[in-house]
Structures are given as C-alpha cells and as structure tokens.
C-alpha cells in the first residue's frame, strides 16, 4: 500500500506540470482537441486530485512539499481561465476595430469555423472575405443543413452591402475528400495517370464537373484543388505525418500533371466553382511536413522551372485558377523564409517573372512551419509581398491573433499601401469575373 501511495505521489508531481502547461497554452492550435469536453475534464481532474490530496492529511498537518503539490494542482484551472481571458480580451479588441479598417483588412482573410455563432459576426461585419468548410462542418449534419447555413451567411453579406463570401473547401478526391459524405466520393486524380491521354483528360474533366456540381449545390464556390506537386520518389517519408503528398500527387511526370489538372479545372469551372492549384513551390522534394516542421527546397531554380514548376506555369496560363503558396522556403530565391510570406517569391518570381496577376493565397497559417515562429511577422510580410488571401483554416479562433497582427502593423505604418491597393484591385476583379 505504501508503494502504491508513493507511485501515486510521483505521478502527481509528473502529471501536474503537464496539466499546468495545457492550461497555459489552452489557446494553442495543437490543443484544439482539448477544447470543450477536454477543458471540462481538465478542471474536474484537477479539482479531484486537490480534494484527494487534502483528504489524506488536511492542510495544516502537511509538509511544505505536500502543500506545494496541492498548489500545483490548483494551477491548471487558473491557467486555463487566464488563457481564456487573454483570448477574450484580444477578441474584444479586434471586434472594436474601426469599420473601414476592419473591412479593408478583412478582405484578405479566409477563416475556418466550428459553429455558426462563431463565424457570423465576422461575416456580417466584413472582418473576413471568405469561410472555409470541412469535415467538422458536416459531421452529424445533412448537406441541406450546411447549404442553409451558407445561404444565411451570404444573406447577411447582402444585407450589410458587402461582397459575396468566398466559400472554400478541400475536395481533391482520394484521401482528401473532406465533404464526402455527404458529397460524392471520387478517387484521387492520380488514379487517372496511367490511362491513355484522351481518356485521362475526359475522366479528369468529368471528375471536375462532378465536384463542381456537388460543391455549387451547397453554395461553395472555391475548391482548394488540384494538387500540382510532383509525386516524390520515396514511397514513404517518416517525417510526413499530415501532408501525405505521395498519396495525393497526380504523377511524377510534369506533362501528365499539367494535362490532368488542366482538364479537371475546366470541369470544375464549368459548374461555376473556382480551382486553387497547390502547394507552390512544391512539396515533392521536401522531406519535412510543414504542418509541424520547417522545410527547405534546395534545388536550383533552373531545375525547378523545368520540372516541379512546369505544371504551375502551364495551368495558371490556361485557366482561371488561384494559386496557393505553401510554407516551403526556396533556398535559391529567399533562403530560410517560407515562400508564403516571401516578397522575393511572391512579387519577384510569381508576379514579375511569371506575370501572374490573379489571386495568390497562403496555405493555412495555423501550421507549425509558421505558427511555431513569429506568426505576426508572417502575416505582415505576406501582405507586403502581395499575397491576396491569408488562410486560417484548422483553428479559426486564431483569426483574432492574426488580425490583431495586421491592425497593429497598420497602426504603426508597417503595411505597404501600394501592395494592399494592388491586391484590392485583384480581389475586386476576381469578384467581377466570378
């Protein structure tokens, strides 16, 4: 019995700091699964441990070490409460942003959400240009429920005399089919790579039409597909936990990728849904998963132009697709700085060298390659580089932190007004075309 008690006390000393850290970092994207029921369990467990420790010998008769352990287990709920307070203060501050500035900066954000009440104020007051819907928005619901929700949000935009919402999702086919069910589940475009060229294009266009009709029926007008990354040579990358690009890439042949992706986009556009090609500058050669780690692309530009970047240039020149830029750093262009907020990549390479003047957006900024560093710097540099849309998808509540970064930069004159003006022109032109 004495051994069991000692083991229990040892565990309390080990687990207590973990609970405190969970409370302190309650707003961190990595702890999204703890929110809601997880937070309730954290509080209940902390209170139960404190009561159990006090029950053993009370307070006065305890040693200083024992008292310290009790205090330790009182901290997790207090830390969580403090973290929630910080979030609420930031949220209140953002929502008090002067309306003209809110709409000016808000046109650059697409945000994911978990409930209607969470996103409705942002939509109605122009704090965002678009919303991102995914598996969590259809879990336990019908397609009609999501359709009605999107329609209500669009009605709010009309009533507020704001531009229509961009409504985006990830519906690539294969393992990334976030709205299937209830929508049609299709194979990945990679399944078409070995067909004859004419059959490739016909099937790819059919896939695009099916996705387009399904998405348009719900009111979704922007699909984050297709993937243009070249398939990596290695079958499995042990540092790739989430991207899984070897299962999503169409082919390792740039010509096949261009042909299949182009046909798919034409099918998607025929239903009134815009495509978004991704993840420039390409994930096929990198060994780290940018959901969690930094990644560098050390290949010479001349080789990238002939291989990895060929599908991007082919497709962007022949369709109306948007371009999603990932968080991989191109060493030959801007060493150490992710492409998603590199002016040398966005303005120098994409805008000036390639002469691409349509919509450029970032991959989700709530990813380790960005969020584990100075996310404010990333937000400001992306806007100053000519990025049009900043994506906050996985954890939409991080929007308040990122928007505060943008307003703080605006207040101190840290935003490039010429770049913002050019971006606004592109966004308005895109709305007119759509």
């Amino acid at each position: 019995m004495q051994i069991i008690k000692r083991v229990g006390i040892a565990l309390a000393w080990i687990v207590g700091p973990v609970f405190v850290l969970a409370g302190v970092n309650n707003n961190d994207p990595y702890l999204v699964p703890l929110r809601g029921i997880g937070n309730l369990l954290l509080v209940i467990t902390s209170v139960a441990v404190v009561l159990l420790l006090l029950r053993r010998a009370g307070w006065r008769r305890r040693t200083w070490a024992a008292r310290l352990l009790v205090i330790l287990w009182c901290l997790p709920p207090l830390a969580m409460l403090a973290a929630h307070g910080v979030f609420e203060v930031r949220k209140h501050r953002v929502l008090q942003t002067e309306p003209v500035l809110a709409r000016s900066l808000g046109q650059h954000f697409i945000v994911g959400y978990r409930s209607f009440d969470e996103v409705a104020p942002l939509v109605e007051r122009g704090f965002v240009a678009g919303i991102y819907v995914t598996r969590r928005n259809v879990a336990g619901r019908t397609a009609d429920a999501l359709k009605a929700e999107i329609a209500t949000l669009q009605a709010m935009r009309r009533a507020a005399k704001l531009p229509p919402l961009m409504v985006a999702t990830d519906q690539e086919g294969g393992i990334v089919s976030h709205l299937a069910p209830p929508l049609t589940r299709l194979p990945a475009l990679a399944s078409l790579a070995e067909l004859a060229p004419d059959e490739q294009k016909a099937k790819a266009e059919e896939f695009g039409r099916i996705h387009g009709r399904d998405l348009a029926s719900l009111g979704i007008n922007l699909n984050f597909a297709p993937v243009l990354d070249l398939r990596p040579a290695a079958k499995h990358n042990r540092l790739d936990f989430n991207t899984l690009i070897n299962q999503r890439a169409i082919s390792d042949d740039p010509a096949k990728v261009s042909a299949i992706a182009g046909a798919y986009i034409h099918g998607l556009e025929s239903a009134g849904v815009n495509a978004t090609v991704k993840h420039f500058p390409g994930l096929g050669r990198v060994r780290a998963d940018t959901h969690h780690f930094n990644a560098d692309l050390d290949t010479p530009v001349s080789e990238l132009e002939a291989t990895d970047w060929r599908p991007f240039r082919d497709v962007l020149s022949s369709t109306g697709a948007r371009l999603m830029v990932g968080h991989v750093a191109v060493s030959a262009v801007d060493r150490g700085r992710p492409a998603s907020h590199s002016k040398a990549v966005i303005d120098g390479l994409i805008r000036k060298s390639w002469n691409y003047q349509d919509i450029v957006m970032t991959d989700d900024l709530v990813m380790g390659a960005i969020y584990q560093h100075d996310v404010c710097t990333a937000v400001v540099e992306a806007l100053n580089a000519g990025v049009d849309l900043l994506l906050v998808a996985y954890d939409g509540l991080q929007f308040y932190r990122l928007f505060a970064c943008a307003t703080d930069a605006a207040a101190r004159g840290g935003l490039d007004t010429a770049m913002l003006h050019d971006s606004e022109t592109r966004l308005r032109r895109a709305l007119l075309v759509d």
Side-chain angles (χ1 to χ4, degrees):
M1 183 62 72
Q2 197 67 22
I3 293 176
I4 293 175
K5 286 182 179 179
R6 288 180 179 178
V7 170
I9 294 297
L11 284 174
W13 278 110
I14 294 169
V15 177
V18 175
F19 272 54
V20 174
L21 283 173
V24 169
N25 296 292
N26 198 252
N27 296 328
D28 194 279
Y30 276 104
L31 297 184
V32 164
L34 284 183
R35 293 179 194 163
I37 189 68
N39 285 339
L40 182 61
L41 289 174
L42 183 146
V43 172
I44 291 173
T45 302
S46 298
V47 171
V49 171
V50 168
L51 292 176
L52 187 63
L53 292 170
L54 289 174
R55 184 180 177 187
R56 291 182 62 243
W59 176 260
R60 292 186 178 179
R61 288 179 290 167
R62 301 183 69 78
T63 65
W64 281 107
R67 290 181 181 182
L68 189 61
L69 184 58
V70 171
I71 293 171
L72 174 66
W73 277 93
C74 289
L75 292 178
L78 297 175
M80 188 181 71
L81 187 63
H84 184 67
V86 169
F87 169 78
E88 288 297 332
V89 168
R90 180 184 288 135
K91 177 180 177 181
H92 176 76
R93 178 186 158 211
V94 165
L95 293 177
Q96 295 304 307
T97 302
E98 192 271 325
V100 172
L101 179 61
R103 293 185 179 193
S104 175
L105 294 177
Q107 67 185 321
H108 299 289
F109 285 86
I110 294 180
V111 64
Y113 67 100
R114 294 177 184 273
S115 71
F116 178 85
D117 291 341
E118 179 185 313
V119 77
L122 302 178
V123 167
E124 187 173 28
R125 296 167 62 181
F127 280 92
V128 296
I131 57 173
Y132 169 77
V133 295
T134 186
R135 189 173 289 112
R136 63 178 174 248
N137 301 104
V138 293
R141 306 174 70 194
T142 64
D144 286 341
L146 179 59
K147 178 180 180 179
E149 182 172 277
I150 292 170
T152 301
L153 292 170
Q154 291 287 25
M156 292 167 66
R157 297 287 280 197
R158 290 193 296 273
K161 295 182 170 55
L162 288 166
L165 280 174
M166 300 178 200
V167 185
T169 193
D170 264 319
Q171 194 75 350
E172 299 172 10
I175 63 170
V176 179
S177 299
H178 292 169
L179 297 184
L183 300 186
T184 308
R185 181 175 290 279
L186 293 176
L189 289 174
S191 64
L192 310 180
E194 300 310 315
L195 299 178
D198 288 346
E199 193 177 359
Q200 272 180 2
K201 290 184 179 180
K203 291 293 288 185
E205 189 165 346
E206 181 188 355
F207 280 16
R209 283 196 301 271
I210 293 170
H211 275 164
R213 286 196 302 265
D214 278 359
L215 297 176
S217 72
L218 298 183
I220 295 169
N221 50 38
L222 180 61
N223 192 14
F224 293 158
V227 165
L228 298 190
D229 311 86
L230 297 188
R231 182 181 297 154
K235 291 283 185 182
H236 177 68
N237 181 356
R238 61 188 177 84
L239 295 180
D240 184 359
F241 304 110
N242 293 91
T243 302
L244 303 174
I245 205 65
N246 61 311
Q247 299 180 49
R248 297 163 61 193
I250 294 172
S251 173
D252 59 0
D253 180 346
K256 284 185 179 181
V257 174
S258 297
I260 292 172
Y264 172 84
I265 291 170
H266 287 306
L268 198 66
E269 291 177 339
S270 72
V273 176
N274 290 303
T276 308
V277 296
K278 60 186 185 183
H279 312 79
F280 184 82
L283 299 174
R285 295 177 187 264
V286 299
R287 302 298 297 165
D289 180 353
T290 52
H291 287 85
H292 308 285
F293 309 109
N294 297 343
D296 296 298
L297 188 56
D298 295 324
T299 310
V301 168
S302 58
E303 185 176 342
L304 291 170
E305 287 277 12
T307 54
D308 300 59
W309 295 353
R310 179 180 162 189
F312 288 98
R313 299 196 70 171
D314 289 347
V315 171
L316 292 174
S317 65
S318 60
T319 70
R322 283 79 170 114
L323 174 62
M324 178 180 285
V325 182
H327 307 314
V328 175
V330 186
S331 298
V333 179
D334 194 356
R335 179 173 293 276
R337 180 176 282 103
S340 55
H341 57 97
S342 166
K343 188 166 185 176
V345 172
I346 306 295
D347 186 52
L349 178 69
I350 296 170
R351 299 289 189 208
K352 291 188 169 68
S353 295
W354 290 12
N355 196 33
Y356 178 72
Q357 302 302 324
D358 287 324
I359 301 301
V360 172
M361 69 180 68
T362 69
D363 202 347
D364 190 0
L365 293 174
V366 188
M367 291 170 67
I370 298 297
Y371 202 85
Q372 290 180 11
H373 303 282
D374 187 350
V375 70
C376 275
T377 295
V379 167
V380 174
E381 288 188 350
L383 292 172
N384 287 344
V387 170
D388 303 299
L389 296 169
L390 307 177
L391 179 62
V392 189
Y394 172 66
D395 181 9
L397 294 181
Q398 300 302 327
F399 163 80
Y400 293 103
R401 180 180 178 188
L402 272 59
F403 195 87
C405 295
T407 56
D408 289 346
R412 65 174 184 270
L415 295 180
D416 188 326
T417 54
M419 281 293 186
L420 291 177
H421 178 268
D422 290 346
S423 179
E424 184 175 351
T425 300
R426 287 189 294 269
L427 290 166
R428 285 181 175 174
R429 185 171 65 234
L431 283 169
L432 289 173
V433 171
D434 294 346

